[in-house]
Amino acid sequence: MNILVTGGAGYIGSHTVVELLKNGHNTIIVDDLSNAKEEVIERIEHITGKRPYFYKIDCADKAALDAVFEKHSVDAVIHFAGYKAVGESVKKPLQYYRNNIDSTLSLVEVMEKYQCTKLVFSSSATVYGPNNPYPYKEDMPAIQSTNPYGWTKVMIERILTDYTTAHPEFSVILLRYFNPIGAHESGLLGDDPNGIPNNLMPYIGKVAAGQLDHLTIFGNDYDTPDGTCQRDYLHVVDLAIGHLKAIEYAENHTGVEAINLGTGTGISVQDLVNAFESANNLKLSYVIGPRRDGDLPAFWADATKAKNLLGWKAVHTLEDMCKSSWNFAKNFQ
Ligand code: UFG
């Protein structure tokens, strides 16, 4: 298939492009490089021996997107492009709503014009909100978030669902990710956010590399086995393979399907710190600090649907995730 990947130079996008190319698909990346680097295109080519098409455009720019569809015969789209920092979204809500929602509307309007009917959307476990019991299952209400970033995911899921009701020939797969970490085995692709990282693993990478002094563990007084928060960390390469399976599934599917991509296991912040130290044979400097506003104590996925529908299961271990994260961080930070 000819697959357009918005945000394809980003962390999850770039790993997904590698898996698509390895499996014989052609890829067209659209990315404005607001949180990614152009060198990533070279690195994808280095890994796969194939060069993806690349357009440095904002996905909300409908005319620019139209020109890409005019040039390439696009069979399907994977839509990653969007702002994703939870804390920043609280400070800049309009920017988040404008960017994330506009880009999706522009994309689907252009897809409609060119009769492209297959879409995989990058959603998040955040749509389960603060009230569902874990493990989260796809049939639980996914209608609430705790921050503007998360609300854009809830709203876009709604928009795509309503669009599909009106266009029953359309296929949308809403992939709800849990916490992706890890990096490509080559050490060439990984999570390299601009500025000081908000997420745990890139922060740990910078501490281990000596660029940040220490990690603060946000709270150890939660009602969890060791008092620190638990999340479902999954390897970004497993996540990328989940996208490959989802887009291939969409080829013969119509309607809306929400699918969790997680391991089904909760790992605590303290577990992750310990695993990083022992996998990489180093010591991390860390302190225990107060809780971070908005953090839920624990959640993880029920990953049964992904297995049944897509034949997908996360296979990388926590050790793989910690080793590959450090392999990337020590090269590129
Ligand atoms: N944490 C620390 N110290 C840090 C950073 C994080 O202790 O410096 C802890 C957090 O308190 C949390 C855990 O590490 O318990 C994971 O935090 P992340 O920021 O890495 O991830 P979140 O679970 O908060 O957020 C992730 C995604 C969001 C998504 C959210 C809910 O980054 O996109 O899950 O699904 F919205």
Side-chain angles (χ1 to χ4, degrees):
M1 281 192 276
N2 292 332
I3 303 172
L4 182 98
V5 185
T6 76
Y11 173 44
I12 306 171
S14 59
H15 286 85
T16 299
V17 169
V18 166
E19 295 308 317
L20 295 171
L21 290 171
K22 270 169 56 183
N23 284 275
H25 297 292
N26 299 314
T27 57
I28 304 127
I29 295 178
V30 164
D31 198 306
D32 67 358
L33 301 180
S34 59
N35 195 23
K37 300 192 172 76
E38 192 157 357
E39 302 93 90
V40 164
I41 310 298
E42 269 36 78
R43 295 185 201 155
I44 291 172
E45 186 179 9
H46 186 85
I47 292 167
T48 62
K50 294 178 193 163
R51 193 175 178 84
Y53 292 99
F54 170 61
Y55 297 92
K56 182 177 179 295
I57 57 172
D58 178 349
C59 185
D61 181 344
K62 216 171 137 184
L65 209 54
D66 192 301
V68 174
F69 274 76
E70 185 66 46
K71 188 154 178 213
H72 299 272
S73 158
V74 177
D75 299 310
V77 177
I78 305 181
H79 181 36
F80 292 103
Y83 295 155
K84 60 171 189 175
V86 172
E88 185 184 58
S89 78
V90 176
K91 296 196 182 86
K92 301 176 178 172
L94 292 183
Q95 220 168 299
Y96 271 67
Y97 287 116
R98 169 69 76 191
N99 182 65
N100 291 6
I101 292 176
D102 252 12
S103 61
T104 307
L105 292 174
S106 295
L107 175 66
V108 179
E109 283 171 357
V110 176
M111 287 177 74
E112 182 176 304
K113 177 173 169 193
Y114 288 88
Q115 293 172 3
C116 177
T117 59
K118 309 293 173 197
L119 177 64
V120 170
F121 174 61
S122 171
S123 190
S124 163
T126 192
V127 299
Y128 290 108
N131 299 323
N132 281 306
Y134 51 85
Y136 294 154
K137 279 178 79 91
E138 292 85 349
D139 57 5
M140 289 175 176
I143 50 171
Q144 210 185 345
S145 188
T146 52
N147 57 79
Y149 153 78
W151 275 109
T152 69
K153 297 293 181 192
V154 173
M155 289 174 186
I156 293 168
E157 285 204 1
R158 183 76 250 161
I159 290 167
L160 295 175
T161 302
D162 290 344
Y163 181 77
T164 310
T165 304
H167 298 267
E169 73 285 3
F170 206 71
S171 168
V172 182
I173 313 290
L174 308 169
L175 293 181
R176 295 177 179 158
Y177 319 150
F178 285 70
N179 289 56
I181 59 171
H184 192 263
E185 60 177 3
S186 62
L188 294 174
L189 301 175
D191 195 1
D192 187 14
N194 291 336
I196 296 181
N198 299 299
N199 293 118
L200 181 59
M201 189 53 104
Y203 202 101
I204 287 178
K206 286 203 184 286
V207 172
Q211 292 189 359
L212 291 170
D213 181 59
H214 65 272
L215 169 74
T216 301
I217 294 182
F218 297 140
N220 68 349
D221 56 351
Y222 286 98
D223 185 15
T224 58
D226 64 20
T228 66
C229 293
Q230 291 172 295
R231 294 289 181 272
D232 185 336
Y233 296 97
L234 81 156
H235 198 297
V236 67
V237 171
D238 282 329
L239 186 57
I241 293 168
H243 288 76
L244 168 72
K245 301 231 174 197
I247 204 82
E248 290 182 348
Y249 176 81
E251 219 178 339
N252 299 307
H253 165 266
T254 54
V256 184
E257 215 61 79
I259 304 176
N260 290 338
L261 293 180
T263 63
T265 310
I267 300 289
S268 76
V269 178
Q270 186 69 60
D271 289 336
L272 191 69
V273 167
N274 297 346
F276 190 90
E277 289 185 331
S278 73
N280 298 311
N281 200 22
L282 49 76
K283 280 275 163 222
L284 275 177
S285 170
Y286 67 89
V287 298
I288 307 294
R291 294 180 177 195
R292 181 172 71 177
D293 275 353
D295 275 342
L296 294 173
F299 61 84
W300 53 86
D302 179 321
T304 316
K305 187 171 175 184
K307 185 161 185 282
N308 292 343
L309 221 56
L310 306 180
W312 177 89
K313 194 174 179 301
V315 296
H316 288 84
T317 62
L318 186 57
E319 190 184 4
D320 297 333
M321 300 183 217
C322 291
K323 277 191 169 157
S324 62
S325 292
W326 178 225
N327 187 35
F328 174 75
K330 69 183 176 208
N331 287 336
F332 285 103
Q333 300 203 4

